[in-house]
């Protein structure tokens, strides 16, 4: 009798043991064993929402995103809140949002994360309100940890940042950082929202300045005597450049939360403070980053190994950019120096570090030193991160058999980072031409700019302006006028013809 009773109790808990083993194997990225345990659980208990979530998670980690969506779509309906205090509807919409993020559909992912937040709030509203005098407030003990609002807001903020909505992302992440303030990656994302907002503001202001009705205040005269009077207020803002944020918040302290470069600098310093202080000698080992202690990054998994190095490098790059935007080239140079001292630095971060270092040195009046950081031959790679430590323990055969996800852009708001090595070299050559112009070496500047123009798939307006400036300085006003009319730089053959024609006319002017 006792043996039969023990056997019945084991049979009662056996499905749950299979479920726990499947979750454990999933954490260890052992997909085959996990799917086997899930099959045993399903045969004993049938199809449940928890089992379907785990199956979808397996396909998600194998990068079979469309299959993960199909599995989630077959999840059976369940009550809003389970006996264990879990809001399954919020979990469902959160998982759908994660899959759409990997598919590059950021606005759709944000929609599902917003719905998950609404489901979470609706589930909480079904219980008595919290009262500080009574800790439990009449709520069951199982639902005290049910609130996932800040985790869902974190996911929502990331989607808004990717979808080119930096102001909305800033508001979402600001609410999250009040709870998870020890997460350095969260501080970096908050700073990125500030930087993206600043860039978006600059682009909007530039669009207004390019509008004739906003720029031109008055026109008088006719023919050769026609004059334009420009709006002086807008040109004052153009000269101030990077301090545009301060104009929108003139009496606000930099420590007050606002999507400005000043607050971005504070966020980045917080992130750098939470990361370990590593010296260049630390990276000389054979296994890079394996000696570092993992860093807590709630609500996500701990940051460890190469992820710590990549995160620190990203923070230093952003700090250099923000320092240049705040007219602080000394700090920008110091951050770039720390970045460039990291061995095996990804090529994309080295490319940015060299550009920002050159710009900082130009601002400091050390133009000759800036030239050594503008060598286009040094640009051979534009990757921006090391291999993720979390993926190093996964069986690569599980990934190679999966469908390949579409390439995700950095951001829908500003995708100015070069997409190829040739484009990165063109940007370096353009900056090199600018430095040659500062040094009054016009022929070298013209040659570097022509090389840059041949590498650009679409010529930026900065190249056109610099090309016109070079011709004006060379007293070749007709070529400069033609560049402005055609809105494109002249080829070397056209320039040679114009020079020859100008030389043949000189004797006739005497």
């Amino acid at each position: 009798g006792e043996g039969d009773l023990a056997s019945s109790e084991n049979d009662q808990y056996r499905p749950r043991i299979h479920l726990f083993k499947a979750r454990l194997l999933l954490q260890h990225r052992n997909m085959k064993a996990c799917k086997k345990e899930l099959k045993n659980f399903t045969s004993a208990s049938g199809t449940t929402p928890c089992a379907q979530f785990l199956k979808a998670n397996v396909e998600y980690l194998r990068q079979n995103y469309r299959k993960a969506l199909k599995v989630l779509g077959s999840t059976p309906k369940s009550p809003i809140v389970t006996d264990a205090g879990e809001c399954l509807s919020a979990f469902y919409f959160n998982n759908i949002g994660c899959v759409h993020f990997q598919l590059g559909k950021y606005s759709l992912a944000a929609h599902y994360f917003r719905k998950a937040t609404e489901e979470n709030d609706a589930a909480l509203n079904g219980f008595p309100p919290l009262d500080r005098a009574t800790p439990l407030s009449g709520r069951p003990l199982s639902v005290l940890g049910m609130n996932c609002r800040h985790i869902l807001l974190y996911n929502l903020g990331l989607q808004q940042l990717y979808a080119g909505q930096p102001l909305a992302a800033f508001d979402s992440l600001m609410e999250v950082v009040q709870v998870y303030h020890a997460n350095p990656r969260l501080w970096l994302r908050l700073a990125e929202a500030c930087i993206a907002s600043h860039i978006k503001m600059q682009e909007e202001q530039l669009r207004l300045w390019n509008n004739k009705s906003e720029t031109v205040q008055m026109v008088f005269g006719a023919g050769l005597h026609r004059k334009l009077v420009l709006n002086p207020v807008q040109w004052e803002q153009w000269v101030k450049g990077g301090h545009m944020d301060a104009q929108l918040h003139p009496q606000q302290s930099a420590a007050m939360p606002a999507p400005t470069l000043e607050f971005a600098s504070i966020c980045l310093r917080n992130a750098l403070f939470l990361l370990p202080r590593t010296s260049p000698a630390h990276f000389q080992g054979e296994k890079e980053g394996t000696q570092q202690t993992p860093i807590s990054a709630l609500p996500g998994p701990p940051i460890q190994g190469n992820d710590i190095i990549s995160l620190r490098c990203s923070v230093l790059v952003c700090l250099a950019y923000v320092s240049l935007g705040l007219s602080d080239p000394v700090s920008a140079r110091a951050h770039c120096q720390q970045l460039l001292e990291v061995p095996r630095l990804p090529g994309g971060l080295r490319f940015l570090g060299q550009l920002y270092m050159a710009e900082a040195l130009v601002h400091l009046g050390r133009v000759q030193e800036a030239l050594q950081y503008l060598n286009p031959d040094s640009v051979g790679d534009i990757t921006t991160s090391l291999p993720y430590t979390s993926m190093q323990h996964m069986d690569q055969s599980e990934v190679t058999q999966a469908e390949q996800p579409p390439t995700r852009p950095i951001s829908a708001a500003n995708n100015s980072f070069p997409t190829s090595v040739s484009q990165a070299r063109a940007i370096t050559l353009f900056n090199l031409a600018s430095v040659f112009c500062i040094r009054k070496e016009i022929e070298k500047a013209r040659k570097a700019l022509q090389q840059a123009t041949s590498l650009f798939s679409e010529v930026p307006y900065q190249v056109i302006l610099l090309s016109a400036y070079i011709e004006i300085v060379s007293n070749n006003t007709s070529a400069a006028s033609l560049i402005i009319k055609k809105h494109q730089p002249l080829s070397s053959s056209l320039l040679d013809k114009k020079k020859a024609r100008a030389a043949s006319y000189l004797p006739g002017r005497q």
Side-chain angles (χ1 to χ4, degrees):
E2 293 181 359
D4 295 339
L5 180 62
S7 177
S8 63
E9 290 181 352
N10 290 337
D11 293 339
Q12 179 182 358
Y13 291 107
R14 193 178 303 277
R16 186 166 297 183
I17 292 174
H18 285 307
L19 188 63
F20 290 157
K21 288 178 67 176
R23 295 176 64 177
L24 180 63
L25 291 168
L26 187 65
Q27 293 292 327
H28 286 279
R29 302 293 193 270
N30 192 342
M31 304 302 174
K32 294 181 180 179
C34 177
K35 293 179 72 173
K36 182 179 180 181
E37 292 296 334
L38 281 175
K39 186 176 181 180
N40 293 334
F41 172 79
T42 305
S43 61
S45 300
T47 302
T48 63
C50 188
Q52 292 299 101
F53 288 162
L54 282 174
K55 287 181 180 178
N57 200 350
V58 170
E59 301 301 332
Y60 178 85
L61 292 176
R62 295 181 67 236
Q63 300 180 6
N64 287 328
Y65 301 123
R66 301 196 182 278
K67 189 173 181 180
L69 279 178
K70 185 177 180 181
V71 173
L72 287 173
S74 62
T75 303
K77 302 297 181 181
S78 59
I80 296 179
V81 182
T82 63
D83 296 336
E86 297 175 334
C87 182
L88 295 183
S89 57
F91 292 175
Y92 171 78
F93 288 120
N94 175 78
N95 295 343
I96 291 287
C98 290
V99 175
H100 282 299
F101 166 69
Q102 293 294 343
L103 292 173
K105 302 176 181 179
Y106 308 122
S107 297
L108 187 58
H111 166 72
Y112 281 107
F113 284 127
R114 205 173 287 110
K115 289 192 67 173
T117 307
E118 294 172 358
E119 291 291 331
N120 179 80
D121 295 341
L124 290 175
N125 291 334
F127 297 96
L130 289 174
D131 186 3
R132 294 185 178 181
T134 57
L136 295 182
S137 303
R139 297 186 175 191
L141 186 63
S142 60
V143 303
L144 294 183
M146 184 183 69
N147 189 7
C148 300
R149 176 177 176 81
H150 293 91
I151 299 177
L152 298 173
L153 282 178
Y154 193 0
N155 292 339
L156 175 60
L158 290 179
Q159 305 315 305
Q160 292 167 335
L161 188 59
Y162 270 81
Q165 304 169 10
L167 293 178
F170 179 83
D171 293 336
S172 300
L173 296 176
M174 270 305 304
E175 187 173 346
V176 178
V177 83
Q178 298 176 26
V179 178
Y180 300 108
H181 48 76
N183 184 347
R185 186 177 283 143
L186 175 57
W187 285 109
L188 174 62
R189 300 293 174 254
L190 193 58
E192 288 174 345
C194 296
I195 294 172
S197 176
H198 172 78
I199 294 174
K200 194 171 184 178
M201 191 188 316
Q202 280 188 324
E203 291 176 348
E204 180 65 21
Q205 195 67 36
L206 184 61
R207 186 188 65 81
L208 292 176
W209 290 334
N210 289 335
N211 189 353
K212 179 180 177 181
S213 60
E214 297 288 340
T215 306
V216 179
Q217 188 179 49
M218 184 185 302
V219 181
F220 60 91
L224 296 176
H225 303 288
R226 186 170 180 264
K227 303 296 182 184
L228 301 180
V229 178
L230 303 182
N231 191 337
V233 177
Q234 295 182 0
W235 288 108
E236 289 176 4
Q237 294 177 354
W238 177 264
V239 172
K240 291 182 180 179
H243 301 286
M244 197 179 303
D245 295 337
Q247 296 172 7
L248 297 181
H249 311 276
Q251 298 179 350
Q252 182 170 297
S253 171
M256 295 298 293
T260 62
L261 289 185
E262 288 82 2
F263 188 71
S265 178
I266 295 175
C267 296
L268 292 169
R269 287 200 295 269
N270 289 344
L272 200 62
F273 177 78
L274 293 170
L275 292 171
R277 292 172 175 80
T278 52
S279 60
H282 175 82
F283 302 103
Q284 298 297 334
E286 294 183 359
K287 294 185 178 180
E288 188 173 304
T290 55
Q291 303 296 325
Q292 297 190 14
T293 304
I295 301 172
S296 175
L298 294 175
I303 308 171
Q304 56 186 342
N306 288 341
D307 300 347
I308 299 178
I309 304 171
S310 295
L311 182 59
R312 183 178 178 84
C313 292
S314 299
V315 171
L316 289 173
V317 168
C318 291
L319 271 171
Y321 175 87
V322 170
S323 299
L324 289 172
L326 296 175
S327 301
D328 186 7
V330 176
S331 298
R333 177 183 173 276
H335 297 314
C336 290
Q337 192 167 4
Q338 292 182 49
L339 177 69
L340 296 175
E341 286 176 352
V342 177
R344 294 185 289 276
L345 182 67
L349 297 184
R350 184 172 298 279
F351 163 73
L352 291 177
Q354 290 176 341
L355 286 185
Y356 295 158
M357 174 68 89
E359 185 174 348
L361 290 172
V362 169
H363 283 297
L364 293 172
R366 299 158 64 175
V367 181
Q368 180 62 35
E369 295 182 40
L371 290 175
Q372 64 180 337
Y373 293 100
L374 296 174
N375 182 11
D377 295 333
S378 65
V379 182
D381 181 24
I382 56 171
T383 56
T384 56
S385 62
L386 297 166
Y388 287 107
T389 302
S390 57
M391 296 297 294
Q392 291 176 354
H393 305 291
M394 185 173 176
D395 186 4
Q396 292 301 313
S397 62
E398 296 287 343
V399 179
T400 54
Q401 295 176 1
E403 64 184 43
Q404 293 300 322
T407 303
R408 297 202 307 267
I410 297 176
S411 172
N414 182 42
N415 195 16
S416 58
F417 190 81
T419 57
S420 63
V421 175
S422 61
Q423 190 176 357
R425 288 177 178 173
I427 294 173
T428 303
L429 284 167
F430 167 75
N431 285 274
L432 181 63
S434 302
V435 174
F436 282 141
C437 286
I438 295 174
R439 291 170 54 86
K440 307 299 182 183
E441 299 177 1
I442 303 302
E443 289 304 321
K444 290 184 179 180
R446 180 183 284 111
K447 182 179 179 181
L449 191 61
Q450 288 174 355
Q451 293 177 359
T453 305
S454 64
L455 294 175
F456 276 118
S457 56
E458 183 177 351
V459 181
Y461 74 93
Q462 294 94 335
V463 174
I464 299 171
L465 293 178
L466 184 60
S467 179
Y469 171 79
I470 290 175
E471 300 307 325
I472 292 173
V473 173
S474 303
N475 293 324
N476 194 358
T477 55
S478 59
S481 177
L482 189 59
I483 289 172
I484 296 173
K485 287 180 179 179
K486 290 189 173 183
H487 202 68
Q488 64 180 11
L490 298 180
S491 62
S492 57
S493 59
L494 285 177
L495 286 174
D496 293 339
K497 289 180 180 178
K498 280 193 165 290
K499 288 179 182 178
R501 191 179 301 126
S504 63
Y505 289 159
L506 283 177
R509 294 177 183 174
Q510 295 177 353

